[in-house]
Amino acid sequence: MGGLALAFAFGAACDGSTPTTPGTPGTPPPGSGAAVSLSLSPSSVTVTQGQSSTTTATIVRSGGFTGAVNLTATGAPSGVTVAPVTIAAGATTATVTGAASGGAATGTATIVMQAAATGVSSVSQNLSVNVAPAPTMGGNVTWTFCAAVGIPVW
């Protein structure tokens, strides 16, 4: 009686490409050369106290990596926050928003933006942030009153 023989090939897909790790879409196996690069445009921003500013993060995937990339910021000065962003699989850009509180420390600081994803080494780029003081209200206001009724006239 004839038998059925099954052959399993590990480490290569039927088309000869390197398969991704099961259960983790877009994540190549270790040692596959998968990588991601990050750039910021502009790489220097000015934000006024009490306001926000943006920069565009662009990533390039290579080596078979197709997954999502998480962007985080470290080193923000006191009173400045940068919201984390995920660049979805298939997308290449995201807007990164930083906000300065009304009491944020003024001056220039370097924030490190890091791109990380499963299966690739994390990469980073520096973002120069200048926190400018909020405009101040100044000057004198002169009130003139109508003598008959005591109502200000402006």
Side-chain angles (χ1 to χ4, degrees):
M1 185 184 248
L4 177 64
L6 296 175
F8 293 95
F10 294 97
C14 293
D15 64 1
S17 65
T18 304
T20 60
T21 304
T24 312
T27 305
S32 65
V36 63
S37 64
L38 171 66
S39 63
L40 302 171
S41 180
S43 60
S44 179
V45 296
T46 296
V47 60
T48 302
Q49 289 173 321
Q51 302 292 317
S52 62
S53 185
T54 63
T55 187
T56 299
T58 301
I59 60 164
V60 175
R61 297 172 180 89
S62 61
F65 175 69
T66 60
V69 176
N70 299 309
L71 302 177
T72 55
T74 57
S78 176
V80 174
T81 57
V82 179
V85 177
T86 297
I87 300 178
T92 58
T93 63
T95 299
V96 177
T97 302
S101 69
T106 58
T108 301
T110 299
I111 295 176
V112 178
M113 295 299 304
Q114 183 175 34
T118 303
V120 296
S121 296
S122 62
V123 295
S124 61
Q125 284 290 322
N126 290 340
L127 175 64
S128 177
V129 177
N130 178 38
V131 178
T136 57
M137 300 299 284
N140 296 318
V141 176
T142 302
W143 297 91
T144 303
F145 290 89
C146 177
V149 289
I151 299 173
V153 178
W154 27 82

